[in-house]
Amino acid sequence: MSKLTFAWTQCFFVQRAVRAQQKQPPLLGLWLGAVILLKNTRTGRQLPLIDPPAERYYLNNLQRALDWLRQCPHAAALCPQIDEFETLPADTQALLMRLVMRQKAHFRVPKLNYPEIIDMAHALDAGCQAGWLSLDHDLTLGELGDLLSAAELRARFGADAGVRKGDLLMHLQHEALPDQPWDDWVPDLSDSVVSLTCRDTFDRWRLAFFGSLYHDWQTFVLEQLGVMRYQDVELVGAGFESAVEFEQCWQISQWDGLQPLPADPAGPLASRRRSSALYARGRERQRLGQWDLALDDYRASNARPRIARVLEQRGDLALAYRFARRVVARPHYPAEATAVAKSLPRLAKAVGYPAPARARNSVPTEAMVLAFRPNVRVETAVAEALSADSGQAFWVENGLFPSLFGLLFWDALFAPRPGAFFHPFQSAPADLYSSDFESSRQTLIDQAFASLDDDSHRVRIRQRAKHSRGIQNRLVNWSVLTPPLLELALDCLPADDLAVIFRRLLDDIKRHRSGFPDLIVFDSSARSYRLVEVKGPGDALQDHQRAWLGFFNHHRIDATVVNVSWA
């Protein structure tokens, strides 16, 4: 393989892997691969940057996962299927994995062309005999349409040459044609179709290894290409507490909203996922106006702001008012009170009570008139204006303070805790947003706060940034936290300010990691800074932004809203 050919092959792998891992637009992965190619070409480095993947790299990756699962008590029920898979011929294993990595379930055999599979006919035969594949699986009309070209579909059903494939399939749907095997659908075609009948097996392995179905097998490729780097973590046990919890999580992952969910979750993961599933169904029922059913789901998932809203929509205004007051008086988390408090004046008026005084945080504001530039974001325009007036302005939004937090508390984030890490590809522990995250790592968290007290946090953060730059951390945005910005932040941000900000972040990481002001402006000569939230014409503060601005104002941290109008 030539250097240029391999480089563009690398682009292809990056494109597929990045899209699978991060659900990014199709061209992003190709762009990343092109950057690798151009960087090496311009700098004169010898291509390739990395070794080409082995012909059956995907089987090696799968084997890593299966070897780990054999050690996990929660995956004991999967071992017989793993044993059966490993007794299949190597070509059959490779074919199965190739098909699993594709999205569809049915494939025309002549179009299966994988150079590393030496004997395709034998691979198919062995897979069918073992029940992992099928050559006579019933196909729906839609699946048939996916397999046939437009010309073949028109010929099969005698349609005119000008009829589009989609229109023909839509017309045929009204005929309620029965499902049938490929040979019965198209007896005049000489090729055959193979169906993948074992996707659930591979998905169960994937869930058992990754802990969720959001990851797929391309995650290994991202690591091997160097696109995604992960912190080395000690896998203490498995993420699932038991085989029962694993089976419950599998059941939840396959839930269609109709069958009952596990009534008694066997562990924290199953409990959280059950609540999430019920909450999602509650949203849909609320949208359809099924108030009683929506309330059942929201109560089961403890979604109190939603309960208050549905009670109001259902017309139970007095009950909604009393419930909302109870939530505001004793919120489970600060954002809950904020969400419900907005409805109290409206509900009070509806039931004839005096409207409660709304507590409004006084936020300093200033106006700025700028020349309109069509292709320039308003945040960029304000940053340029502030940099010209005084100091250095950076558009950081949620990328600075959470990143500094992630660096300072790195050891706590990646501490070996039972159930925290399922696999080596996690950017954060599984319990990051749980209520006991802090208490289960109290010593490490106390050490990080102590470094703010004795002013050693700068050394600690610098060293972590130097040694870990590029490693995935859910709280660290490396593209924002450039070395120059990091140095300015460490030089100008007082330890006391960081301590109170980090304390609020730690109180509710999931909700408090967003809402930070858009810009930070440094005055390096005075070793000071100010925060600026930018609002263009017609834009307004959101609740989580207002909460942070109120917090900064309370702690005498300079934070301002700049309202922009165009000249």
Side-chain angles (χ1 to χ4, degrees):
M1 181 184 294
S2 70
K3 294 176 181 178
L4 186 62
T5 301
F6 174 73
W8 285 111
T9 302
Q10 206 166 283
C11 295
F12 170 76
F13 278 116
V14 173
Q15 177 193 13
R16 290 192 59 189
V18 168
R19 288 180 65 191
Q21 177 77 358
Q22 298 184 330
K23 304 190 187 306
Q24 298 284 358
L27 293 179
L28 177 61
L30 191 60
W31 175 82
L32 286 172
V35 168
I36 296 173
L37 171 63
L38 292 174
K39 180 179 179 181
N40 287 281
T41 303
R42 291 176 179 174
T43 57
R45 287 188 183 179
Q46 183 179 1
L47 287 172
L49 264 179
I50 59 173
D51 294 331
E55 280 190 343
R56 296 184 176 179
Y57 66 94
Y58 46 88
L59 274 185
N60 297 335
N61 297 337
L62 176 63
Q63 195 60 54
R64 284 175 61 187
L66 298 184
D67 289 346
W68 166 245
L69 291 180
R70 288 186 181 279
Q71 307 173 40
C72 299
H74 76 267
L78 305 178
C79 289
Q81 291 173 312
I82 294 174
D83 293 338
E84 182 182 345
F85 175 79
E86 292 179 345
T87 62
L88 295 172
D91 277 352
T92 302
Q93 293 182 25
L95 177 61
L96 289 172
M97 196 58 188
R98 279 291 194 182
L99 300 184
V100 163
M101 290 192 296
R102 297 172 64 172
Q103 298 301 313
K104 297 180 180 179
H106 311 286
F107 311 89
R108 295 179 73 162
V109 172
K111 294 185 178 181
L112 297 178
N113 181 23
Y114 302 111
E116 74 275 15
I117 299 178
I118 300 170
D119 191 340
M120 180 64 72
H122 178 63
L124 286 167
D125 183 61
C128 290
Q129 288 187 19
W132 298 73
L133 299 170
S134 173
L135 291 172
D136 57 0
H137 198 278
D138 283 348
L139 304 174
T140 66
L141 176 64
E143 291 168 339
L144 178 70
D146 289 338
L147 293 166
L148 293 176
S149 67
E152 289 172 331
L153 193 66
R154 287 193 294 266
R156 166 62 179 82
F157 293 101
D160 295 336
V163 178
R164 294 188 306 174
K165 182 177 179 179
D167 293 338
L168 178 55
L169 286 171
M170 187 175 297
H171 171 74
L172 293 171
Q173 290 287 354
H174 298 295
E175 298 187 15
L177 299 172
D179 300 348
Q180 51 190 321
W182 169 261
D183 290 341
D184 294 340
W185 274 116
V186 284
D188 296 335
L189 293 182
S190 59
D191 62 346
S192 57
V193 164
V194 62
S195 301
L196 185 70
T197 59
C198 59
R199 187 174 295 279
D200 278 0
T201 297
F202 281 82
D203 283 348
R204 283 171 60 81
W205 293 348
R206 187 156 57 97
L207 176 64
F209 180 73
F210 289 113
S212 77
L213 294 178
Y214 293 109
H215 289 79
D216 63 21
W217 303 111
Q218 300 291 351
T219 304
F220 288 95
V221 182
L222 286 168
E223 179 205 32
Q224 291 160 352
L225 291 180
V227 176
M228 307 288 278
R229 296 168 51 218
Y230 297 90
Q231 175 71 26
D232 290 332
V233 294
E234 181 181 348
L235 302 178
V236 181
F240 300 100
E241 291 191 350
S242 65
V244 174
E245 186 182 24
F246 166 72
E247 293 297 341
Q248 289 179 343
C249 288
W250 171 254
Q251 181 183 346
I252 295 169
S253 73
Q254 304 301 301
W255 189 50
D256 60 2
L258 300 177
Q259 303 300 320
L261 285 173
D264 298 310
L269 277 174
S271 179
R272 289 197 295 268
R273 291 176 188 180
R274 181 180 184 274
S275 294
S276 296
L278 289 170
Y279 180 83
R281 186 176 66 177
R283 290 287 301 270
E284 179 62 17
R285 287 173 164 177
Q286 181 184 3
R287 187 185 68 82
L288 296 174
Q290 300 172 348
W291 311 127
D292 292 343
L293 295 175
L295 281 173
D296 290 342
D297 287 339
Y298 287 148
R299 285 168 177 149
S301 56
N302 201 26
R304 300 203 298 173
R306 287 283 171 180
I307 294 173
R309 178 58 179 155
V310 171
L311 288 173
E312 180 183 5
Q313 290 177 313
R314 192 174 67 173
D316 293 334
L317 300 180
L319 180 58
Y321 175 70
R322 292 195 300 271
F323 183 80
R325 289 194 61 182
R326 188 161 64 248
V327 172
V328 171
R330 294 186 176 181
H332 292 168
Y333 50 90
E336 185 181 52
T338 303
V340 175
K342 292 189 297 183
S343 67
L344 270 179
R346 183 176 65 250
L347 290 170
K349 181 179 179 180
V351 297
Y353 287 103
R358 298 191 64 176
R360 283 277 184 178
N361 293 318
S362 177
V363 178
T365 62
E366 60 183 73
M368 182 178 291
V369 180
L370 297 174
F372 178 71
R373 290 183 287 171
N375 297 320
V376 177
R377 291 284 301 265
V378 63
E379 295 88 354
T380 301
V382 174
E384 292 175 354
L386 293 175
S387 295
D389 289 344
S390 61
Q392 296 173 267
F394 295 83
W395 182 7
V396 295
E397 203 165 343
N398 301 315
L400 177 59
F401 288 105
S403 294
L404 294 174
F405 177 92
L407 292 175
L408 184 62
F409 292 87
W410 191 286
D411 291 340
L413 288 168
F414 293 101
R417 295 286 308 165
F421 293 97
F422 291 87
H423 55 84
F425 307 114
Q426 288 181 229
S427 60
D431 61 342
L432 177 63
Y433 302 141
S434 68
S435 59
D436 63 346
F437 171 79
E438 179 179 358
S439 61
S440 64
R441 301 161 174 83
Q442 196 65 61
T443 300
L444 292 171
I445 288 173
D446 289 344
Q447 290 173 1
F449 276 116
S451 71
L452 291 167
D453 294 335
D454 63 20
D455 224 30
S456 64
H457 66 284
R458 293 181 176 87
V459 173
R460 183 176 180 139
I461 290 175
R462 282 193 185 98
Q463 289 179 343
R464 176 54 67 184
K466 177 181 178 181
H467 294 113
S468 301
R469 179 162 291 277
I471 292 177
Q472 297 299 303
N473 180 323
R474 192 175 301 171
L475 299 176
V476 179
N477 188 331
W478 293 113
S479 63
V480 170
L481 196 67
T482 60
L485 174 60
L486 177 61
E487 286 305 313
L488 272 172
L490 292 178
D491 191 46
C492 297
L493 295 177
D496 290 344
D497 289 5
L498 290 176
V500 295
I501 292 171
F502 290 168
R503 180 68 262 169
R504 185 171 191 266
L505 255 175
L506 192 58
D507 286 343
D508 193 341
I509 296 175
K510 182 177 182 178
R511 296 175 180 87
H512 293 169
R513 60 181 294 199
S514 62
F516 287 93
D518 297 306
L519 309 180
I520 187 167
V521 185
F522 294 108
D523 184 346
S524 55
S525 60
R527 298 187 67 184
S528 64
Y529 74 102
R530 62 184 291 224
L531 302 170
V532 176
E533 176 64 33
V534 179
K535 292 300 175 187
D539 200 1
L541 288 172
Q542 299 178 45
D543 288 340
H544 63 320
Q545 295 172 331
R546 193 179 297 278
W548 268 115
L549 289 168
F551 175 84
F552 293 137
N553 184 44
H554 176 74
H555 288 279
R556 302 184 183 279
I557 295 173
D558 190 354
T560 308
V561 176
V562 171
N563 295 308
V564 177
S565 58
W566 304 121

